[in-house]
Amino acid sequence: MRLAKQKSHFLLCGLKKVMDGLFQQTLRARFLCSCLLLTSTPLAQAGEWSGYVSLEGRGFTQEALFPEQDYRFNLSLSAQPEYFHKWDNGKQSFTFVPFVRYDQHDSRRSHADIRELTWLKVGKDHEWRVGVRKLFWGVTESQHLVDIINQTDLIENLDGEEKLGQPMVNLALIRGWGTLDLFVLPGFRDRTFPGAKGRLRPAIPVDIHRAQFESSQGRNHVDLAARWSRTLGDFDFGVAHFSGTSREPRLVLALDGGGNPVLIPYYDLINQTSIDLQATKGSWLWKLEAISRAGQPGGRFTAMTGGFEYTVVGVLETQTDVGLVAEYLFDDRGQAATTPYDDDVFVGMRLSFNDAQSSEALVGAIVDRQTYAKALSIEASRRFGQQWKLSLEARFFSHIPEKDQTLFGVRSDDYIQLEMARYF
């Protein structure tokens, strides 16, 4: 009982320090230090460890475009352990998820991050989460417009689904009319980009050290967000608003010290309102994500991704399910959009084999309706025993126009990747 009181006292003091210093310029450093102190308390002396270590091999089918990229095969090692401890009859818990990768060629891809370092307190009709956290918003397959809380860890994967941990204070109000999540987000995280030697990089290298911010507070600007979500029958709703530094930088052309062109990330202050909707109707799954954003050049704009997934259960009298996916991607900025998806169609097929090895695969392609540029992806995985998992990933690009700043630099970076992970 005395130990439990000490734990609760420590957590309450840590929370008070976070809230008291929330709007100070040194907030980010204080916040992260407070979180890291948790690992030296008795909380870290008992609990459960899990996670994985993996070896990744990536082979490129074509010669690189740039002389710095003098290789066609790349190895990397990664590890993501997870520590979890709960107490107070399960009403409080602590989660710590670090991540580290060592890459053979790209020094920027050799990096470490804290994906999660979170204290959770569950009340009768509310929940508190304080620390570093990674969470996901969205329902569509081809891109996740509404997923704005965490910064994209672009050196991990070009699809943008890997995220950096975000410092936050999150209060969830759980009521009969739905769940309202309120977020205070101190400490901005810069988007990661491959280095000059890294493949899958823009045609012009990105100088991450010269990043610029619209806010005079730079990375110390405190962002705010809120999201309401509810399930009504077959429908799952989410409505959110974000106010703060954009996670998606504009890349501004400049020169380095030697007179060579580089791209400088510029982070605008934005206000974004979004909605995500998913409806389950028998074998049909209807999905929509839409945003309205203000604060970037050109004025307010809207973007959306929507479509369906139709599942054929037990195809050809087997235990395999086949999902047929189709989505439309739209951005009313047209060619001025900061993403390559302003008028595109995604079609794909998902295979779920429903076997003991959890075998599954997803094949899909995004096609630009104006330029006919294509990006084909293949993802598949299968478990071996209780501790091993083999994953396959392949991406191929064709007919990428020079005006496509995002994909033009990777037009010769078709690759096939195998990853073997051991879980513990």
Side-chain angles (χ1 to χ4, degrees), residues 203 371 373 399-409 411:
T371 66
H399 298 91
I400 306 299
E402 186 173 357
K403 63 183 179 181
D404 190 333
Q405 180 177 277
T406 306
L407 295 179
F408 188 66
R411 63 191 185 279

Tab-separated table of all heavy atoms in Angstrom, residues 203 371 373 399-409 411:
chain	number	residue	atom	x	y	z
A	203	ALA	N	14.757	14.264	-55.586
A	203	ALA	CA	15.822	14.492	-56.560
A	203	ALA	C	16.837	15.499	-56.043
A	203	ALA	O	18.034	15.392	-56.314
A	203	ALA	CB	15.217	14.971	-57.876
A	371	THR	N	-1.553	12.243	-65.488
A	371	THR	CA	-0.255	11.896	-66.071
A	371	THR	C	-0.065	10.398	-66.277
A	371	THR	O	0.891	9.987	-66.929
A	371	THR	CB	0.883	12.396	-65.168
A	371	THR	OG1	0.856	11.667	-63.919
A	371	THR	CG2	0.731	13.882	-64.874
A	373	ALA	N	0.962	8.408	-64.147
A	373	ALA	CA	2.027	7.919	-63.283
A	373	ALA	C	1.475	6.821	-62.383
A	373	ALA	O	0.326	6.884	-61.937
A	373	ALA	CB	2.592	9.064	-62.443
A	399	HIS	N	6.393	6.000	-65.218
A	399	HIS	CA	5.842	7.204	-65.847
A	399	HIS	C	5.716	8.364	-64.859
A	399	HIS	O	4.717	9.094	-64.866
A	399	HIS	CB	4.474	6.911	-66.480
A	399	HIS	CG	4.529	5.889	-67.563
A	399	HIS	ND1	4.347	4.545	-67.320
A	399	HIS	CD2	4.749	6.009	-68.899
A	399	HIS	CE1	4.446	3.867	-68.455
A	399	HIS	NE2	4.690	4.732	-69.431
A	400	ILE	N	6.729	8.548	-64.003
A	400	ILE	CA	6.702	9.634	-63.033
A	400	ILE	C	7.157	10.925	-63.724
A	400	ILE	O	8.282	11.003	-64.222
A	400	ILE	CB	7.618	9.339	-61.834
A	400	ILE	CG1	7.271	7.975	-61.220
A	400	ILE	CG2	7.484	10.448	-60.797
A	400	ILE	CD1	5.880	7.851	-60.687
A	401	PRO	N	6.316	11.964	-63.788
A	401	PRO	CA	6.696	13.208	-64.472
A	401	PRO	C	7.649	14.047	-63.624
A	401	PRO	O	7.665	13.944	-62.390
A	401	PRO	CB	5.359	13.918	-64.656
A	401	PRO	CG	4.525	13.436	-63.518
A	401	PRO	CD	4.941	12.013	-63.271
A	402	GLU	N	8.430	14.899	-64.278
A	402	GLU	CA	9.413	15.720	-63.579
A	402	GLU	C	8.747	16.701	-62.621
A	402	GLU	O	9.326	17.067	-61.599
A	402	GLU	CB	10.262	16.475	-64.596
A	402	GLU	CG	11.416	17.249	-63.980
A	402	GLU	CD	12.341	17.844	-65.006
A	402	GLU	OE1	12.119	17.600	-66.215
A	402	GLU	OE2	13.294	18.551	-64.613
A	403	LYS	N	7.538	17.132	-62.919
A	403	LYS	CA	6.859	18.090	-62.054
A	403	LYS	C	6.403	17.476	-60.736
A	403	LYS	O	6.018	18.203	-59.816
A	403	LYS	CB	5.659	18.688	-62.775
A	403	LYS	CG	4.581	17.668	-63.131
A	403	LYS	CD	3.448	18.308	-63.916
A	403	LYS	CE	2.378	17.275	-64.302
A	403	LYS	NZ	1.295	17.896	-65.090
A	404	ASP	N	6.439	16.149	-60.630
A	404	ASP	CA	6.062	15.475	-59.387
A	404	ASP	C	7.262	15.482	-58.453
A	404	ASP	O	8.081	14.574	-58.460
A	404	ASP	CB	5.600	14.041	-59.672
A	404	ASP	CG	4.968	13.378	-58.466
A	404	ASP	OD1	5.317	13.762	-57.335
A	404	ASP	OD2	4.124	12.489	-58.656
A	405	GLN	N	7.369	16.541	-57.628
A	405	GLN	CA	8.528	16.727	-56.764
A	405	GLN	C	8.697	15.595	-55.777
A	405	GLN	O	9.814	15.231	-55.406
A	405	GLN	CB	8.392	18.054	-56.010
A	405	GLN	CG	9.548	18.356	-55.071
A	405	GLN	CD	9.416	19.709	-54.405
A	405	GLN	OE1	9.766	20.716	-54.979
A	405	GLN	NE2	8.882	19.724	-53.192
A	406	THR	N	7.594	14.974	-55.346
A	406	THR	CA	7.654	13.936	-54.320
A	406	THR	C	8.213	12.624	-54.859
A	406	THR	O	9.021	11.965	-54.199
A	406	THR	CB	6.255	13.688	-53.729
A	406	THR	OG1	5.719	14.925	-53.264
A	406	THR	CG2	6.324	12.712	-52.567
A	407	LEU	N	7.805	12.221	-56.064
A	407	LEU	CA	8.147	10.899	-56.568
A	407	LEU	C	9.188	10.890	-57.682
A	407	LEU	O	9.719	9.830	-58.004
A	407	LEU	CB	6.879	10.187	-57.071
A	407	LEU	CG	5.819	9.868	-56.013
A	407	LEU	CD1	4.621	9.203	-56.656
A	407	LEU	CD2	6.400	8.975	-54.917
A	408	PHE	N	9.502	12.064	-58.277
A	408	PHE	CA	10.414	12.069	-59.416
A	408	PHE	C	11.804	11.543	-59.031
A	408	PHE	O	12.461	10.861	-59.810
A	408	PHE	CB	10.530	13.482	-59.990
A	408	PHE	CG	11.302	13.545	-61.282
A	408	PHE	CD1	10.807	12.949	-62.441
A	408	PHE	CD2	12.542	14.189	-61.334
A	408	PHE	CE1	11.527	13.006	-63.634
A	408	PHE	CE2	13.261	14.244	-62.521
A	408	PHE	CZ	12.745	13.645	-63.678
A	409	GLY	N	12.249	11.847	-57.813
A	409	GLY	CA	13.564	11.400	-57.383
A	409	GLY	C	13.665	9.914	-57.122
A	409	GLY	O	14.779	9.375	-57.025
A	411	ARG	N	12.119	7.551	-59.093
A	411	ARG	CA	11.625	6.857	-60.280
A	411	ARG	C	12.491	5.653	-60.665
A	411	ARG	O	12.024	4.757	-61.372
A	411	ARG	CB	11.530	7.825	-61.461
A	411	ARG	CG	12.853	8.429	-61.907
A	411	ARG	CD	12.612	9.572	-62.884
A	411	ARG	NE	13.847	10.118	-63.448
A	411	ARG	CZ	14.619	11.000	-62.826
A	411	ARG	NH1	14.280	11.418	-61.618
A	411	ARG	NH2	15.723	11.459	-63.409
